[in-house]
Amino acid sequence: MRKNYFLNVFGILLCLSLYSQSSQKSYKDSTQYLAKGANTALDNYDYSSAIEHSLKLIDLASSKEDYTQLNLGHNFLGITYEVLEDTLRAKENYKKALEHAKSSNNDTLLWYAYNNLGNIYSSNKKPLQKEREYYRNTLEIAPKLSNSEEPHPPASIIRGTFLKNEHYY
């Protein structure tokens, strides 16, 4: 009887240990973990790690058809490439983030996507219609957002971006 008791306790401890290890591994393979890793890497100026986490996030979110996480992955890549001054890749990823934001029906994600595209296009020296279009969409979406703590740049900030780049409309 005593032998069975110790065997049962050992079996339970073994199962708990295996479950704990598998749940830790599953968290490290989760979209939340990868998004946090990409964000932390960006905060620490570790751009290769940000790219690595973002690509893994995109792969995992794609397999789950999770448009919110797909948006985040492409947004992180866009930010990283923009900081690295690779505007072509930044634009590609911001456009993909916009597609996924539309699929997720999330106004906050749409706002960020349009704003990022407006910012990247405003870095051009000559004025572009797309730049104005993306910023106009940003202004239209901002009042719909329910979270008042989210930053919503007013029209004056957008006008300031135009003035800084000598875009007079």
Side-chain angles (χ1 to χ4, degrees):
M1 176 84 165
R2 192 172 174 167
K3 220 180 206 184
N4 286 340
Y5 174 77
F6 287 114
L7 189 58
N8 287 337
V9 169
F10 178 74
I12 291 170
L13 290 175
L14 181 63
C15 288
L16 288 173
S17 174
L18 291 174
Y19 174 76
S20 172
Q21 289 174 2
S22 70
S23 69
Q24 285 177 351
K25 184 177 184 208
S26 66
Y27 174 71
K28 287 187 177 183
D29 293 335
S30 73
T31 54
Q32 292 84 5
Y33 174 82
L34 294 168
K36 184 176 180 181
N39 193 40
T40 301
L42 276 171
D43 287 345
N44 293 323
Y45 309 104
D46 183 0
Y47 302 118
S48 61
S49 182
I51 291 170
E52 180 183 334
H53 277 88
S54 299
L55 291 172
K56 287 179 181 179
L57 174 60
I58 290 167
D59 284 343
L60 184 58
S62 183
S63 70
K64 295 180 175 187
E65 295 183 20
D66 185 340
Y67 298 115
T68 300
Q69 296 297 326
L70 279 165
N71 169 277
L72 287 176
H74 285 291
N75 192 47
F76 286 135
L77 279 179
I79 292 167
T80 304
Y81 288 128
E82 188 173 0
V83 170
L84 295 173
E85 298 181 359
D86 187 344
T87 55
L88 184 61
R89 285 185 181 171
K91 283 179 191 176
E92 280 178 27
N93 281 285
Y94 286 150
K95 285 178 182 179
K96 288 178 183 177
L98 176 59
E99 290 173 25
H100 297 305
K102 287 178 180 178
S103 296
S104 73
N105 293 319
N106 183 320
D107 287 338
T108 302
L109 297 181
L110 276 170
W111 184 89
Y112 277 111
Y114 283 127
N115 190 60
N116 287 339
L117 282 164
N119 289 342
I120 197 82
Y121 278 103
S122 73
S123 65
N124 290 332
K125 289 297 176 195
K126 60 182 185 177
L128 297 170
Q129 180 63 30
K130 283 187 183 259
E131 170 187 4
R132 285 188 278 177
E133 179 184 326
Y134 289 128
Y135 278 140
R136 195 174 314 114
N137 288 335
T138 300
L139 290 171
E140 289 172 8
I141 291 171
K144 296 178 188 176
L145 299 176
S146 61
N147 186 352
S148 61
E149 294 177 17
E150 288 292 329
H152 307 298
S156 60
I157 293 175
I158 294 171
R159 278 189 227 104
T161 303
F162 292 147
L163 291 173
K164 178 185 83 173
N165 292 314
E166 298 177 3
H167 298 181
Y168 304 106
Y169 299 109

